[in-house]
Amino acid sequence: MSKPVLLTVDDDPGVSRAVARDLRRRYAESYRIVRAESGPQALESLRELRLRGDDTALMLADHRMPEMTGVEFLEQAMDLFPYARRVLLTAYADTDAAIRAINVVDLDHYMLKPWNPPDEKFYPVIDTQLDAWRRTDRTPPGELRVVGHRWSARSYQVRDFLARNQVPYTWLLDTSPEAAELLKAAGDPELPLVVTSDGTTLVAPTDAQLAAAVGLSTAPEADFYDLIVVGGGPAGLGAAVYGASEGLKTVLIERHASGGQAGQSSRIENYLGFPDGVSGAQLADRARRQAERFGAELITTGKVVGLEARGQARVIKQADGTEIAAHAVILATGVSYRRLEATGVENLTGIGVFYGAAMAETPNCADAEVYVVGGANSAGQAAVNLAKVAKKVHILVRADGLERSMSHYLIQQIAGISNIEVHTGTVITAGEGTGHLERLTLSGPEGERIVDTQWLFVFIGAEPRTEWLEGVVERDARGYLVTGPDLVADGERPADWPVHRQPYHLETSLPGVFAAGDVRADSMKRVASAVGDGAMAVALVHRYLEQS
C-alpha cells in the first residue's frame, strides 16, 4: 500500500514550501507530503487521492487564502477524507476564526504562525494528531437499515438509541418498496426490523442486542477495577476522562447513550470554550473518545440495580445478574424528565409525545405545528432547533414568563425568531389520538381550548434516578444523594459513619462512594458544574485510596 498523505495548503509559496520542508524532515519515511497553493487545488489533489484509493492522515490549511479560506477548504475536504486530522494554520489576529472552526469543521487543532523552532511548536502538535489518526478506526461504517412503522414507540426508541450513540443508519418506513423487500426476505417479522451491512437481521431487538450488533461494548473486560463510574452524562464522562488519564483502571457504565440529558441538547451555547455553541451530541462524542483514548472502558446498555460494600470493595450489581467490583465508585446517574400528568398523554409516549429533544424526530417536524412544554434552557434550546424546520413552535410554560428558569441569552434568541410563540400561564390537561398524538387540550388565561398537533416535546423538570440506592446511601426527601458536609450535623460525623474522619466533599454516606453532577443534592444543574464534579470526585477518590 502507498504511504498515507500529509496535505498542506497555503497561498504564500514561501510558507507553503517551509511547511512541506518541515514535514518532510520528520515524516517522509512514513508519509507522503503533498503541497498545494490554493483551496481548489488542494481539493482536486484530494479527489485524485481518493480515486486512487490513497489515504490522507492530516490536512494542514492556512486560514487566509484569497479563493477559499482554510475553514471553507477543510469543510469541503471533510466529505472526501472524514477521518483525516484537521489543523488550521493562522495568525494571532485570526484566533477567533480558528475557535469558530472548532465547531464548523470539528477542527482538531489550530497553530499560530510562526512555528519556529519546529521541535517545540510544530512537531509535537503533528505527532499528537498523527497518533490520534492511527488510533482511529477508519473502517467505513456499513449501511445499517431500520424498518418500522411511522408511529411506533419501539421504532422511535431504536432510532433514538442509534442516533445518540453516533451510529449511522437509514430509516425506512414499512410502506416503502425497499422496506417491503427486506420484510419479505425476513419472513414478515415483527417490527422494528434492523438489517446490518452483512445482511444479519434483528427482529424487534433489545438495546443490548442492538449495541452488540453495531460494535458497542456491553460487558466489562474485568471483574475488578480501581474506579466504577455509573452514568455517562457530563459528570460521568468527566470522571472517566480524569480517572483514566490519572492512571486509575476505570469503567463507565451507561444505560442508554453517553451524554445524558446534555447529550440530547441541540445547542449548548454557554459552555466554556465554545463561543458559537456546541451540540450535546458533539460534546458527548468528543468526551467519549477522549475517555477511551486514555484507556477507560465504556459499557453501554448496562442497567445498574444495586450497590453494596464487601470489605474494602464496592460492588455494583446489574439487572442481568452480573457484578463488577472496584475500590471506589462515582455515582453520576443524573436525572430523568418528570412525566407529564395529563389525561391520555402517557399512552402516547413515543408516538407523538417525546421526553427530551428526541433529535431523531426533528426532521419529521417539517412544516408542522409543534408544542414544547417547559421553561428551562433545555426547552428553549429544543424550541430554537425545531423552529428551523417546523411551521410554528409553541412554548407552553406554567409561569408568567421565561425569566425565572431560562438564561437571558436564550430568551433574547427566542424573541428574535418569528415562528416561535411563548404561551405563559398555560398547561396541558389532556392528549388524544388514535395510534398517535392528534390533539392537545390546553388550559390558559383564555380558558380551555383544543389544538391539533402530532408533536409534543416535554421538558418539565427532573427527578433523580436513585430508587435502587434506597437504604444504601443517604438521600434527601426528593431522592437526591446527600454528600460531604451535608452529612455532618453540628460538626459530628454520622452515627453509622465507619471511619475516623469526616466525609469528603462529594462522598456519600458509604465511604468510597461519591456522587457527581445532577444526582447530587443542591448541585448546580449545569453542564460545566457537572464536569467539574466529575473531576473533583476523581481527586477525592485518589485521597480515599491513599488513606484506605
Side-chain angles (χ1 to χ4, degrees), residues 325-356:
H327 292 299
V329 172
I330 295 176
L331 302 172
T333 50
V335 292
S336 56
Y337 286 113
R338 191 173 295 121
R339 311 303 279 188
L340 183 63
E341 295 181 2
T343 304
V345 166
E346 187 63 26
N347 295 331
L348 297 168
T349 302
I351 48 175
V353 176
F354 305 96
Y355 288 85

Coordinates of all heavy atoms in Angstrom, one line a residue, residues 325-356:
A325 N -16.8 -5.2 40.7 CA -16.3 -4.6 41.9 C -15.2 -3.6 41.7 O -14.5 -3.7 40.6 CB -15.8 -5.7 42.8
A326 N -15.0 -2.7 42.6 CA -13.9 -1.7 42.5 C -13.5 -1.2 43.9 O -14.2 -1.4 44.9 CB -14.4 -0.6 41.6
H327 N -12.4 -0.5 43.9 CA -12.0 0.2 45.1 C -12.9 1.3 45.5 O -13.2 1.6 46.6 CB -10.6 0.7 45.0 CG -9.5 -0.4 44.9 ND1 -9.3 -1.3 45.9 CD2 -8.6 -0.7 44.0 CE1 -8.4 -2.1 45.6 NE2 -7.9 -1.8 44.4
A328 N -13.4 2.0 44.4 CA -14.3 3.2 44.6 C -15.3 3.3 43.5 O -15.1 2.7 42.4 CB -13.4 4.5 44.7
V329 N -16.4 4.0 43.8 CA -17.5 4.2 42.9 C -17.9 5.7 42.8 O -17.9 6.3 43.9 CB -18.7 3.4 43.3 CG1 -19.9 3.7 42.4 CG2 -18.4 1.9 43.2
I330 N -18.1 6.2 41.6 CA -18.7 7.5 41.4 C -20.1 7.4 40.8 O -20.2 6.8 39.7 CB -17.8 8.4 40.6 CG1 -16.5 8.7 41.2 CG2 -18.5 9.8 40.3 CD1 -15.5 9.5 40.4
L331 N -21.1 7.9 41.5 CA -22.5 7.8 41.1 C -22.8 9.1 40.3 O -22.8 10.2 40.9 CB -23.4 7.6 42.2 CG -23.2 6.4 43.1 CD1 -24.1 6.4 44.3 CD2 -23.5 5.1 42.3
A332 N -23.0 9.0 39.0 CA -23.3 10.1 38.2 C -24.5 9.8 37.3 O -24.5 10.0 36.1 CB -22.1 10.5 37.3
T333 N -25.5 9.3 38.0 CA -26.7 8.8 37.2 C -27.6 9.9 36.7 O -28.6 9.6 36.0 CB -27.5 7.9 38.1 OG1 -27.8 8.5 39.4 CG2 -26.7 6.6 38.3
G334 N -27.4 11.2 37.1 CA -28.2 12.2 36.5 C -29.6 12.2 37.0 O -30.0 11.7 38.0
V335 N -30.4 12.8 36.1 CA -31.9 12.9 36.4 C -32.6 12.6 35.2 O -32.1 12.6 34.0 CB -32.3 14.3 36.9 CG1 -31.7 14.6 38.3 CG2 -31.8 15.4 35.9
S336 N -33.9 12.2 35.3 CA -34.8 12.0 34.2 C -35.9 13.0 34.2 O -36.3 13.5 35.2 CB -35.3 10.5 34.2 OG -36.0 10.3 35.5
Y337 N -36.4 13.3 33.0 CA -37.5 14.2 32.9 C -38.8 13.7 33.6 O -39.1 12.5 33.5 CB -37.9 14.5 31.4 CG -36.8 15.4 30.7 CD1 -36.0 14.9 29.7 CD2 -36.6 16.7 31.1 CE1 -35.1 15.7 29.1 CE2 -35.7 17.5 30.5 CZ -34.9 17.0 29.5 OH -34.0 17.8 28.9
R338 N -39.4 14.6 34.3 CA -40.6 14.3 35.1 C -41.7 14.0 34.0 O -41.8 14.7 33.0 CB -41.0 15.4 36.0 CG -42.1 15.1 37.0 CD -42.3 16.2 38.0 NE -41.1 16.4 38.8 CZ -40.4 17.5 38.9 NH1 -40.7 18.5 38.2 NH2 -39.4 17.5 39.7
R339 N -42.6 13.0 34.3 CA -43.6 12.7 33.4 C -44.7 13.7 33.4 O -45.0 14.3 34.5 CB -44.2 11.3 33.7 CG -43.2 10.2 33.9 CD -42.3 10.1 32.7 NE -42.9 9.3 31.6 CZ -42.2 8.9 30.6 NH1 -41.0 9.2 30.4 NH2 -42.8 8.1 29.6
L340 N -45.4 14.0 32.3 CA -46.5 15.0 32.2 C -47.8 14.3 32.7 O -48.2 13.3 32.2 CB -46.6 15.4 30.8 CG -47.6 16.5 30.5 CD1 -47.3 17.8 31.2 CD2 -47.7 16.7 29.0
E341 N -48.3 14.9 33.7 CA -49.6 14.4 34.3 C -50.8 15.1 33.6 O -51.3 16.1 34.0 CB -49.6 14.7 35.8 CG -48.5 13.9 36.6 CD -48.6 14.1 38.1 OE1 -49.5 14.8 38.5 OE2 -47.8 13.6 38.8
A342 N -51.1 14.5 32.5 CA -52.3 15.0 31.7 C -53.0 13.8 31.2 O -52.4 12.8 30.7 CB -51.8 15.9 30.6
T343 N -54.3 13.8 31.1 CA -55.1 12.7 30.7 C -54.7 12.2 29.3 O -54.7 13.0 28.4 CB -56.6 13.0 30.7 OG1 -56.9 13.5 32.0 CG2 -57.4 11.8 30.4
G344 N -54.4 10.9 29.2 CA -54.2 10.3 27.9 C -52.8 10.5 27.3 O -52.4 9.8 26.3
V345 N -51.9 11.3 27.9 CA -50.6 11.6 27.4 C -49.7 10.4 27.5 O -48.9 10.1 26.6 CB -50.0 12.9 28.0 CG1 -48.5 13.0 27.7 CG2 -50.8 14.1 27.5
E346 N -49.7 9.8 28.7 CA -48.7 8.7 28.9 C -48.8 7.6 27.8 O -47.8 7.0 27.4 CB -49.0 8.1 30.3 CG -47.9 7.1 30.7 CD -46.5 7.6 30.9 OE1 -46.4 8.9 31.1 OE2 -45.6 6.9 30.7
N347 N -50.0 7.3 27.4 CA -50.2 6.2 26.4 C -49.7 6.7 25.0 O -49.6 5.8 24.1 CB -51.7 5.9 26.3 CG -52.2 5.2 27.5 OD1 -51.5 4.6 28.3 ND2 -53.5 5.4 27.8
L348 N -49.4 7.9 24.8 CA -48.9 8.4 23.5 C -47.4 8.6 23.5 O -46.9 9.2 22.5 CB -49.7 9.7 23.2 CG -51.2 9.6 23.0 CD1 -51.8 10.9 22.9 CD2 -51.5 8.8 21.7
T349 N -46.7 8.2 24.6 CA -45.3 8.4 24.6 C -44.6 7.6 23.5 O -44.8 6.4 23.3 CB -44.7 7.9 26.0 OG1 -45.4 8.6 27.0 CG2 -43.2 8.1 26.1
G350 N -43.7 8.3 22.8 CA -43.0 7.7 21.7 C -43.8 7.7 20.4 O -43.2 7.3 19.3
I351 N -45.0 8.1 20.4 CA -45.8 8.1 19.2 C -46.5 9.5 19.1 O -47.7 9.7 18.9 CB -46.9 7.0 19.1 CG1 -47.7 6.9 20.4 CG2 -46.2 5.7 18.8 CD1 -48.8 5.8 20.4
G352 N -45.7 10.5 19.3 CA -46.1 11.9 19.2 C -45.7 12.7 20.4 O -45.6 13.9 20.4
V353 N -45.6 12.0 21.6 CA -45.2 12.6 22.8 C -43.8 12.2 23.1 O -43.6 10.9 23.2 CB -46.2 12.3 24.0 CG1 -45.6 12.9 25.3 CG2 -47.6 12.8 23.7
F354 N -42.9 13.1 23.3 CA -41.4 12.8 23.5 C -40.9 13.5 24.7 O -41.2 14.7 24.8 CB -40.6 13.1 22.2 CG -41.2 12.4 21.0 CD1 -42.0 13.1 20.1 CD2 -40.8 11.1 20.7 CE1 -42.5 12.5 19.0 CE2 -41.3 10.5 19.6 CZ -42.2 11.2 18.7
Y355 N -40.1 12.8 25.5 CA -39.4 13.4 26.6 C -38.0 13.7 26.3 O -37.2 12.8 25.9 CB -39.5 12.5 27.9 CG -40.9 12.5 28.4 CD1 -41.9 11.6 27.9 CD2 -41.3 13.4 29.4 CE1 -43.2 11.5 28.4 CE2 -42.6 13.4 29.9 CZ -43.5 12.4 29.4 OH -44.8 12.4 29.9
G356 N -37.7 15.0 26.3 CA -36.4 15.4 25.8 C -36.4 15.9 24.3 O -37.5 15.9 23.7

